[in-house]
């Protein structure tokens, strides 16, 4: 056995107090110097000293005490390590400090502190001398056996590492060349030990030191199964990932073993492997394929929406017949507040699948879909792969919310990235940039939601099955309110049906006078406002009941015995002045609505608006649902100019020019003249067309028939029927062409209390989707030319000769 190196240290050493770690003999450590004492030591001892003795320091582990005075020397550990300062690096940013590279030489024991300022200097006694080691043959043999056993443990531990790494190979050679008694300190600084354990190693004697660290090395062999990398490797071996993914993971785990933990790529590779083993490559849930139970569940959760529920049941039926059916790509298109997102959640509940919502509104980076490549700092998988990790199964229901509001930027087009995700022929082999291996998405049921298809790229739209979710009728809103919204609001506000009653007639008033929407979100908010107002009344009533109870108790305690007869009425009136609590349940009628919600926001103003010529009612479609739209026209002396206002788009402006051109060419036929009696309607006459709600942008061809009717009313001096609304595109020859959004437009006319709707004849097929109660309340006129439109829009018709083909029937 080799002997201890004959290191001799000075009997007086300056003390460097460190709080970043414990330095052991034979090991090297970098430590930061920023305290006042340590800065003085470096400047006065290391930077000014010229001899080797001046570079030897006494390193004492120090745990700073926040409660102690910084001016006082803290309590010192009795044993420290003499060290050689190998390197000194200084900097003034952000404040003056030095970084020392120090190498441990031997142990020492503090005899006494000679001075404390400007830096501590102590008289020390060197340990680890030859005389400390056993002198008898028996003890030397025991130490030799322990040293050899320790050497074997150390070799076994090092050989567990990858020997192809140069640093590991160098460490293995050092084990053979270093003295055996120096190995415990060196191995302790290498293996994972706490500062507390290192302090114990510094303080104990050589034989106990070897025994103590040998036990630590034994534990390090036993903890092999608990090692994170080993556990990660076992998870890779036992995972059910495809062969290609498995090969990638095996390659990456080999690279990970060779990397030092300090390398930035170490954390990136480890995060990647942890994601790979957490992904549900073959883990799935079993679908509940009970058609009857699914129908009941959908009906209970959602009123109406028959077309949508029918499509879900069709999917369940086909899935029951064929287990490996690829998930369809559904897209629910409709105005806000009609329940598109909640239907997606109900579909997952019906199937017994996990549900995950991905909000796409405002997303403008394709990496949100496909992920970042791992070469980038802060890279991470896309939302699809991250969602699969969250739900833990490979067949969830994914709701891609607001797919029509995707953006585009310099970072790419996320709508284009979705093409692979939403293509049943491709998504079985979806490759996320972060994973860089294929993942099968074919069992995922994708449901997208949108307010309009106009902003969805054609290629993406082609991959989805569009299911229109129109707005609700008044009757449907009443049912939804009493089945779902009112019970929900009562529960949220701590009320019971015994405390508040909202009759259906009141609900109808809220729908018609306080909301104007296709969905039910505003209705839900109004019901919440009513519940809050009632909650105040209920809380005040409970307080008043308590006051009345206390006054009764006071009277029963004998207060009346001291009241004179002529004073009794006054005291009784004082008691009765306490306001009685409201009677339960509180009934919400129209007067209560006015007190709580204020004056009605929407009044039926149709008849007043059409009280003079030059006004007609059109029907418009918006992403928020259908709306009625007034068109107003006026004429004045001028130079034959046409003025259009109301934030109109180019298509609507062209419709206005088409309308005036058609009327000018047919002025003699309809006996239309300007103020000067000329059939040239623009002769010395200017026309102004205005579309109210000027802050709202308007565009589209469907206002053509409305503009023609409005101008015909203006030049004929006749009033348009106040109960008629119309929609349709026109041509220069007077034909009426079909338009879209018929159902939403008809529902808007029904909400406005109109009685007749004029639509293009080729849109007659769209009337089949109108609810039966709406068709009973409205009369429909289908027109193929403008003659038929004008005949239906004016009382008694508009032309001298009535052309055949006018269909006026109640459907």
């Amino acid at each position: 056995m080799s002997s201890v190196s004959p290191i001799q240290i000075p009997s007086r050493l300056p003390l460097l107090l460190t709080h970043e770690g414990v330095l052991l003999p034979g090991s090297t450590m970098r430590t930061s110097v920023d305290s006042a004492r340590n800065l003085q030591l470096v400047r006065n001892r290391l930077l000014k000293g010229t001899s080797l003795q001046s570079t030897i320091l006494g390193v004492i582990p120090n745990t700073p005490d926040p409660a102690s005075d910084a001016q006082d020397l803290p309590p010192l550990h009795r044993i420290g390590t003499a060290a050689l300062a190998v390197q000194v690096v200084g900097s003034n940013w952000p404040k003056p400090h030095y970084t020392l590279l120090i190498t441990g030489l031997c142990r020492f024991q503090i005899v006494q502190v000679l001075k404390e300022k400007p830096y501590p200097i102590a008289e020390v006694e060197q340990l680890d001398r030859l005389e400390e080691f056993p002198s008898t043959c028996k003890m030397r043999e025991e130490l030799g056996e322990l040293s050899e056993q320790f050497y074997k443990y150390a070799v076994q531990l090092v050989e567990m590492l990858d020997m192809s790494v140069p640093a590991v190979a160098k460490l293995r050679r050092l084990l053979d060349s270093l003295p055996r008694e120096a190995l415990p300190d060196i191995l302790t600084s290498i293996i994972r030990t706490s500062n507390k354990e290192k302090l114990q190693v510094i303080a104990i004697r050589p034989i106990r030191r070897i025994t103590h660290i040998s036990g630590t090395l034994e534990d390090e062999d036993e903890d092999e199964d608990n090692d994170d990398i080993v556990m990660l490797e076992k998870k890779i071996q036992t995972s059910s990932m495809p062969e290609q993914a498995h090969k990638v993971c095996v390659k990456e785990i080999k690279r990970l073993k060779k990397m030092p933990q300090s390398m930035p790529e170490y954390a990136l590779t480890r995060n990647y492997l942890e994601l790979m083993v957490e992904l549900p490559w073959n883990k799935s849930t079993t679908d509940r394929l009970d058609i009857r139970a699914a129908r009941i569940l959908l009906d209970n959760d959602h009123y109406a929406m028959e077309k949508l529920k029918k499509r879900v049941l069709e999917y369940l039926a086909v899935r029951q017949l064929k287990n490996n059916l690829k998930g369809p790509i559904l897209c629910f298109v409709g105005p806000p507040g009609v329940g598109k997102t909640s239907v997606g959640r109900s579909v997952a509940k019906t199937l017994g699948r996990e549900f995950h919502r991905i909000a796409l509104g405002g997303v403008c980076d394709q990496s949100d879909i496909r992920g970042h490549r791992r070469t980038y700092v802060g890279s991470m998988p896309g939302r699809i792969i991250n969602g699969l990790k969250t739900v833990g199964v490979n067949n969830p229901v994914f709701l891609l919310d607001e797919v029509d509001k995707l953006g585009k930027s310099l970072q790419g087009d996320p709508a284009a990235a979705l093409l692979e995700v939403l293509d049943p022929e491709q998504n079985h082999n979806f490759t996320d940039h972060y994973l860089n291996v294929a993942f099968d998405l074919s069992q995922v049921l994708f449901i997208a939601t949108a307010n309009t298809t106009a902003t969805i790229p054609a290629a993406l739209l082609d991959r989805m099955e569009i299911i229109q979710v129109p707005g609700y009728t008044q009757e449907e809103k009443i049912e939804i309110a009493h089945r779902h919204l009112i019970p929900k609001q009562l529960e949220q506000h701590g009320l019971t049906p015994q405390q508040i009653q909202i009759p259906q007639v009141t609900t109808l008033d809220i729908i018609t006078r306080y909301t104007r929407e296709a969905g039910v979100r505003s209705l839900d908010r109004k019901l919440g406002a009513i519940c809050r107002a009632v909650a105040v009344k209920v809380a005040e009533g409970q307080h008043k009941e308590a006051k009345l109870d206390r006054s009764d108790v006071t009277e029963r305690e004998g207060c009346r015995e001291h009241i004179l007869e002529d004073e009794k009425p006054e005291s009784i009136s004082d008691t009765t002045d306490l306001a009685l609590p409201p009677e339960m349940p509180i009934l919400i009628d129209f007067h209560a609505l006015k007190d709580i919600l204020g004056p009605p926001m929407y009044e039926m103003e149709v008849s007043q608006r059409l009280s003079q010529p030059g006004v007609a009612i059109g029907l418009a479609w918006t992403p928020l649902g259908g709306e009625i739209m007034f068109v107003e026209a006026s004429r004045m002396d001028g130079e034959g100019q046409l003025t259009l206002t109301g934030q109109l788009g180019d298509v609507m402006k062209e419709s206005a020019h088409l309308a005036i051109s058609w009327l000018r060419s047919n002025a003699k036929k309809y006996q239309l003249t300007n103020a000067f009696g000329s059939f040239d309607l623009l002769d010395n006459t200017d026309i102004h067309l205005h579309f109210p709600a000027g802050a709202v942008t308007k565009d589209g061809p469907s206002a053509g028939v409305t503009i023609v009717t409005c101008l015909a009313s203006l030049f004929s001096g006749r009033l348009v029927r106040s109960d008629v609304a119309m929609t349709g595109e026109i041509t220069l020859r007077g034909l009426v062409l079909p338009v879209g959004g018929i159902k939403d437009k008809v529902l808007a006319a029904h909400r406005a209390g109109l009685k007749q709707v004029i639509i293009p004849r080729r849109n007659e097929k769209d009337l089949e989707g109108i609810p039966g109660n709406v068709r009973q309340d409205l009369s429909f006129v289908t027109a193929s030319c403008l003659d038929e439109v004008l005949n239906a829009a004016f009382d008694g018709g508009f032309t001298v000769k009535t052309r055949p083909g006018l269909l006026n029937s109640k459907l």
Side-chain angles (χ1 to χ4, degrees):
M1 184 180 68
S2 303
S3 62
V4 182
S5 301
I7 299 174
Q8 296 293 329
I9 63 173
S11 59
R12 294 185 178 186
L13 287 179
L15 301 183
L16 179 72
L17 308 184
T18 65
H19 58 273
E20 297 176 346
V22 178
L23 179 68
L24 294 171
S27 64
T28 300
M29 180 180 76
R30 289 189 183 275
T31 182
S32 178
V33 174
D34 52 12
S35 66
R37 290 190 179 91
N38 289 345
L39 286 173
Q40 290 292 338
L41 187 152
V42 172
R43 292 166 180 165
N44 297 335
R45 183 83 178 193
L46 298 182
L47 299 182
K48 294 182 179 180
T50 57
S51 64
L52 179 64
Q53 297 286 337
S54 65
T55 61
I56 298 179
L57 312 173
V59 180
I60 298 292
N62 175 44
T63 303
D65 185 5
S68 64
D69 188 355
Q71 301 296 327
D72 298 332
L73 188 67
L76 302 178
H77 289 280
R78 186 175 59 89
I79 296 178
T81 302
L84 182 66
V86 179
Q87 186 183 55
V88 180
V89 179
S91 175
N92 287 323
W93 190 90
K95 62 179 182 179
H97 70 280
Y98 296 96
T99 300
L100 302 185
L101 178 63
I102 52 179
T103 298
L105 300 176
C106 64
R107 291 170 174 78
F108 69 85
Q109 179 177 339
I110 297 177
V111 178
Q112 63 175 336
V113 178
L114 300 178
K115 72 173 186 175
E116 298 183 2
K117 296 180 179 180
Y119 53 87
I121 298 178
E123 181 182 349
V124 299
E125 177 185 357
Q126 181 175 347
L127 304 178
D128 292 346
R129 293 177 180 272
L130 287 175
E131 55 266 23
E132 291 187 8
F133 290 88
S135 56
T136 63
C137 293
K138 182 178 180 180
M139 296 184 68
R140 283 185 176 273
E141 289 178 1
E142 181 182 358
L143 181 60
E145 292 176 359
L146 288 175
S147 299
E148 288 299 323
Q149 185 179 8
F150 183 86
Y151 168 76
K152 292 179 181 178
Y153 281 136
V155 170
Q156 183 180 357
L157 177 64
V158 172
E159 288 181 347
M160 290 170 54
L161 305 175
D162 190 350
M163 298 301 296
S164 62
V165 178
V168 177
K170 183 177 180 180
L171 177 61
R172 177 64 183 84
R173 293 193 298 269
L174 282 175
L175 292 180
D176 295 330
S177 60
L178 288 173
R180 295 290 189 264
E181 59 270 15
L183 290 180
D185 290 334
I186 295 176
L187 266 294
T188 302
S189 63
I190 294 176
I191 62 177
R192 291 175 296 183
T193 52
S194 64
N195 287 341
K196 183 178 180 181
E197 291 174 326
K198 290 179 180 178
L199 286 174
Q200 294 176 353
V201 172
I202 283 183
I204 57 181
R205 295 289 180 177
I207 294 181
R208 286 188 57 201
R209 187 186 311 156
I210 295 176
T211 306
H212 177 80
I213 302 177
S214 296
T216 304
L217 290 181
E218 287 182 19
D219 295 338
E220 196 79 19
D221 288 342
E222 293 173 358
D223 289 344
E224 178 185 354
D225 292 340
N226 297 327
D227 187 85
D228 293 340
I229 304 301
V230 176
M231 293 297 293
L232 191 57
E233 188 173 15
K234 287 185 177 181
K235 289 180 180 179
I236 293 174
Q237 298 298 333
T238 58
S239 67
S240 57
M241 64 180 66
E243 182 179 356
Q244 180 188 3
H246 187 267
K247 288 181 179 179
V248 173
C249 289
V250 171
K251 179 181 177 181
E252 292 295 325
I253 197 72
K254 288 181 179 179
R255 291 181 63 244
L256 187 66
K257 290 180 179 179
K258 299 176 183 179
M259 292 182 196
Q261 293 189 11
S262 58
M263 284 185 63
E265 194 175 355
Y266 181 90
L268 297 177
T269 304
R270 180 169 174 172
N271 291 339
Y272 172 77
L273 291 173
E274 288 177 348
L275 173 66
M276 292 289 282
V277 299
E278 289 177 3
L279 285 177
W281 298 95
N282 285 317
K283 184 180 179 182
S284 59
T285 55
T286 303
D287 287 348
R288 289 200 299 260
L289 302 176
D290 189 341
I291 304 296
R292 289 185 178 179
R295 189 190 303 273
I296 294 173
L297 182 61
L298 288 174
D299 288 340
N300 289 339
D301 286 351
H302 296 276
Y303 184 75
M305 294 186 169
E306 300 301 328
K307 183 178 180 181
L308 190 150
K309 291 188 286 189
K310 177 185 176 184
R311 181 62 184 89
V312 175
L313 294 176
E314 288 174 352
Y315 170 77
L316 285 176
V318 177
R319 184 63 189 255
Q320 188 172 347
L321 299 177
K322 187 177 181 180
N323 289 330
N324 60 348
L325 174 68
K326 293 182 179 179
I329 314 298
L330 306 178
C331 182
F332 300 158
V333 180
V338 296
K340 301 184 296 296
T341 302
S342 59
V343 165
R345 199 180 302 273
S346 293
V347 169
K349 183 179 177 182
T350 302
L351 293 171
R353 293 191 180 189
E354 297 293 331
F355 176 81
H356 186 72
R357 174 179 171 268
I358 300 177
L360 296 179
V363 172
C364 58
D365 187 350
Q366 68 162 351
S367 298
D368 278 340
I369 307 299
R370 280 202 181 125
H372 303 82
R373 299 191 185 278
R374 286 192 291 134
T375 54
Y376 296 111
V377 176
S379 59
M380 56 184 178
R383 297 195 183 191
I384 304 297
I385 294 299
N386 196 50
L388 289 168
K389 174 190 172 184
T390 301
V391 297
V393 292
N394 65 358
N395 64 338
V397 174
F398 267 13
L399 185 79
L400 305 178
D401 216 0
E402 310 291 357
V403 74
D404 59 325
K405 297 175 181 60
L406 286 169
K408 185 187 296 186
S409 67
L410 296 175
Q411 284 72 37
D413 185 1
L418 278 176
L419 295 178
E420 182 183 5
V421 176
L422 299 182
D423 191 343
E425 301 301 323
Q426 299 181 36
N427 64 8
H428 66 280
N429 202 27
F430 172 70
T431 302
D432 185 276
H433 287 164
Y434 184 83
L435 293 187
N436 207 25
V437 293
F439 195 97
D440 186 5
L441 300 179
S442 61
Q443 298 304 312
V444 178
L445 176 56
F446 287 101
I447 297 178
T449 68
N451 296 135
T452 176
T453 59
T455 56
I456 302 177
L460 181 59
L461 195 64
D462 181 63
R463 283 163 167 78
M464 299 187 292
E465 179 182 345
I466 304 299
I467 298 179
Q468 295 289 340
V469 186
Y472 297 115
T473 65
Q474 292 180 359
E475 290 75 12
E476 289 171 344
K477 289 183 179 180
I478 292 174
E479 286 294 327
I480 292 171
H482 286 269
R483 290 188 183 192
H484 303 288
L485 302 184
I486 293 177
K488 181 190 75 172
Q489 291 292 345
L490 293 183
E491 181 182 357
Q492 290 181 354
H493 292 85
L495 298 174
T496 64
Q498 289 73 32
Q499 295 171 323
I500 178 176
Q501 283 188 1
I502 305 178
Q504 289 195 356
V505 64
T506 302
T507 307
L508 180 61
D509 282 338
I510 300 173
I511 294 170
T512 56
R513 298 189 174 192
Y514 290 92
T515 65
R516 183 173 287 179
E517 58 176 348
V520 291
R521 282 183 182 159
S522 293
L523 175 61
D524 191 32
R525 287 192 287 267
K526 300 300 182 185
L527 292 172
I530 293 172
C531 289
R532 291 193 297 273
V534 172
V536 172
K537 294 293 184 183
V538 172
E540 289 178 346
Q542 293 174 349
H543 178 68
K544 291 172 181 176
E545 285 181 350
K547 289 184 68 175
L548 287 174
D549 291 341
R550 287 196 298 270
S551 65
D552 290 342
V553 170
T554 303
E555 290 179 355
R556 287 196 298 269
E557 287 177 351
C559 290
R560 288 187 178 180
E561 296 178 1
H562 305 286
I563 299 176
L564 299 176
E565 287 295 328
D566 57 346
E567 293 177 341
K568 283 185 180 180
E570 183 180 353
S571 62
I572 293 173
S573 65
D574 290 341
T575 303
T576 56
D577 281 342
L578 291 171
L580 295 176
E583 295 183 1
M584 297 296 172
I586 298 176
L587 182 65
I588 305 298
D589 55 11
F590 178 72
H591 298 290
L593 275 186
K594 194 171 182 181
D595 292 338
I596 297 172
L597 302 180
M601 299 173 61
Y602 305 102
E603 293 288 353
M604 295 306 173
E605 55 180 354
V606 175
S607 58
Q608 292 88 347
R609 295 286 290 270
L610 274 74
S611 60
Q612 55 183 327
V615 184
I617 303 175
L619 295 173
W621 181 91
T622 71
L624 304 180
E627 293 286 345
I628 64 170
M629 176 179 62
F630 292 94
V631 180
E632 301 175 349
S634 63
R635 60 182 178 179
M636 66 287 295
D637 296 344
E639 299 177 355
Q641 294 182 352
L642 176 63
T643 303
L644 303 172
T645 55
Q647 277 209 58
L648 308 184
D650 291 338
V651 177
M652 190 170 283
K653 291 178 181 178
E654 292 174 356
S655 297
H657 286 284
L658 278 173
I660 191 64
S661 296
W662 184 84
L663 280 175
R664 291 177 68 186
S665 63
N666 291 272
K668 290 183 179 180
K669 174 183 176 181
Y670 293 107
Q671 296 297 304
L672 301 177
T673 61
N674 61 15
F676 304 98
S678 173
F679 288 117
D680 186 358
L681 302 181
L682 293 180
D683 184 21
N684 296 321
T685 302
D686 287 346
I687 299 175
H688 188 163
L689 272 174
H690 178 63
F691 294 74
V696 180
T697 303
K698 310 169 190 70
D699 201 4
S702 62
V705 295
T706 312
I707 299 173
V708 169
T709 305
C710 175
L711 291 174
S713 170
L714 175 67
F715 287 106
S716 67
R718 300 179 59 185
L719 297 179
V720 179
R721 289 177 53 181
S722 61
D723 60 349
V724 173
M726 60 199 73
T727 184
E729 182 179 357
I730 62 172
T731 70
L732 199 56
R733 300 301 179 189
L735 299 179
V736 179
L737 302 182
V739 292
I742 291 297
K743 183 174 182 180
D744 288 316
K745 293 176 180 178
V746 170
L747 292 179
H750 185 257
R751 285 197 299 269
L754 303 179
K755 299 302 181 184
Q756 190 175 75
V757 177
I758 304 173
I759 63 173
R761 180 163 297 169
R762 288 166 60 183
N763 283 120
E764 187 174 6
K765 63 183 184 301
D766 297 321
L767 297 179
E768 296 180 0
I770 306 297
N773 63 311
V774 176
R775 287 183 294 184
Q776 291 177 1
D777 293 341
L778 292 176
S779 174
F780 294 95
V781 174
T782 59
S784 60
C785 62
L786 286 173
D787 291 340
E788 297 171 352
V789 173
L790 295 176
N791 278 330
F794 293 89
D795 285 327
F798 196 73
T799 58
V800 179
K801 294 182 179 180
T802 304
R803 294 190 177 185
L806 182 64
L807 174 63
N808 188 342
S809 61
K810 280 202 171 189
L811 300 179

